[in-house]
């Protein structure tokens, strides 16, 4: 849950980018007491949609609510704790109303490619999609098309549809990157991380 929100906040403020800008001297030479060169986004009042509202999904919802976001949840079952955090809605309503859509469900035949061209078409223009759950929940080609068409405003991915095939050795022994990962990396409104959302020592110890 912490990593999911960290990805979202990085999108909002591009903290890493601005840290590099200061180190490069851009703030010091800009002629102003403050410096930024990307839009700064306020989350308060925006809607966080969470697909999969178990332990992790509810933890994301609590943080999003603390940030002033409206929280929607789609889950097979409802619970009193969840009802205190979010409004339970259908999947179609989740797609229509969410400014940010975060995935927190297992991969099954039912959930495989739950984010595809058809579901993206139902979303708000400019939606942000976050996946720290299972890569194959998202059809990567359809996501790339959605980003190119500006239907999807941004994406944060810590897991990938064909993760095991992203890196392999060619005949000369060199590591080769899968074409889909290369195309995602080239997009400025996409954050790609290295399957690390679960790697805090506390999580590993629990």
């Amino acid at each position: 849950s912490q990593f999911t929100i960290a990805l979202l906040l990085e999108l909002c403020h591009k903290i890493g980018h601005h840290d590099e800008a200061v180190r490069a001297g851009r703030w010091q030479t800009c002629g102003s007491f403050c410096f930024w060169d990307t839009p700064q986004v306020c989350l308060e009042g925006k809607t966080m949609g969470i697909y999969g509202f178990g332990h992790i999904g509810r933890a994301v919802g609590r943080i999003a609510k603390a940030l002033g976001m409206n929280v929607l949840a789609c889950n097979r079952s409802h619970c009193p704790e969840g009802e205190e955090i979010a409004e339970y809605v259908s999947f179609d309503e989740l797609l229509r109303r969410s400014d940010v859509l975060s995935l927190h469900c297992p991969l099954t035949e039912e959930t495989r490619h739950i984010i595809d061209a058809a579901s993206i078409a139902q979303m708000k223009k400019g939606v942000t999609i976050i996946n720290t759950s299972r890569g194959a929940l998202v059809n990567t080609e359809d996501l790339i098309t959605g980003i190119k068409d500006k239907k999807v405003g941004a994406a944060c991915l810590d897991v990938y549809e064909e993760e095991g095939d992203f890196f392999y050795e060619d005949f000369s022994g060199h590591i080769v990157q899968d074409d889909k990962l290369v195309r995602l990396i080239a997009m400025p409104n996409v954050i790609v991380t290295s399957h690390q959302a679960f790697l805090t020592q506390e999580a590993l110890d629990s």
Side-chain angles (χ1 to χ4, degrees):
S1 59
Q2 177 177 300
F3 196 88
T4 297
I5 299 299
L7 290 172
L8 180 57
L9 292 175
E10 173 62 20
L11 270 182
C12 290
H13 300 292
K14 300 294 177 68
I15 293 170
H17 165 79
H18 286 94
D19 171 70
E20 292 178 359
V22 172
R23 293 172 188 273
R26 294 180 62 197
W27 179 33
Q28 299 90 317
T29 58
C30 77
S32 175
F33 73 97
C34 61
F35 168 83
W36 74 100
D37 65 355
T38 66
Q40 301 293 289
V41 178
C42 180
L43 292 172
E44 185 174 10
K46 292 183 171 58
T47 298
M48 165 71 88
I50 301 172
Y51 185 81
F53 212 50
H55 177 72
I56 297 174
R58 291 196 300 273
V60 171
R62 283 194 295 270
I63 302 170
K65 189 173 182 179
L67 290 170
M69 301 185 77
N70 305 310
V71 183
L72 305 177
C74 180
N75 200 63
R76 282 184 175 180
S77 59
H78 299 188
C79 68
E81 180 188 358
E83 289 171 349
E84 291 180 1
I85 300 167
E87 175 189 353
Y88 282 100
V89 296
S90 68
F91 182 56
D92 288 345
E93 188 170 355
L94 190 81
L95 296 176
R96 289 195 303 269
R97 293 175 57 187
S98 297
D99 297 300
V100 180
L101 179 63
S102 191
L103 305 177
H104 299 282
C105 64
L107 177 64
T108 66
E109 285 308 308
E110 183 182 40
T111 61
R112 181 179 298 274
H113 286 183
I114 198 162
I115 303 303
D116 60 6
S119 59
I120 290 171
Q122 296 184 65
M123 298 179 192
K124 290 182 177 181
K125 184 174 182 180
V127 65
T128 292
I129 297 173
I130 303 175
N131 188 12
T132 58
S133 189
R134 294 291 181 266
L137 298 174
V138 177
N139 182 311
T140 310
E141 288 292 349
D142 289 353
L143 176 64
I144 289 171
T145 298
I147 295 167
K148 286 181 176 178
D149 293 345
K150 299 184 178 179
K151 177 71 172 183
V152 177
C156 301
L157 306 172
D158 186 54
V159 289
Y160 307 93
E161 185 179 1
E162 297 167 351
E163 206 163 89
D165 299 325
F166 264 164
F167 308 102
Y168 58 92
E169 291 187 4
D170 64 13
F171 292 111
S172 63
H174 293 101
I175 298 299
V176 179
Q177 293 187 50
D178 178 84
D179 174 64
K180 282 183 271 192
L181 180 60
V182 171
R183 284 183 285 154
L184 286 167
I185 289 171
M187 294 176 162
N189 50 345
V190 174
I191 295 175
V192 289
T193 52
S194 50
H195 203 143
Q196 65 185 87
F198 69 103
L199 287 177
T200 64
Q201 192 59 53
E202 292 83 354
L204 293 174
D205 289 342
S206 63

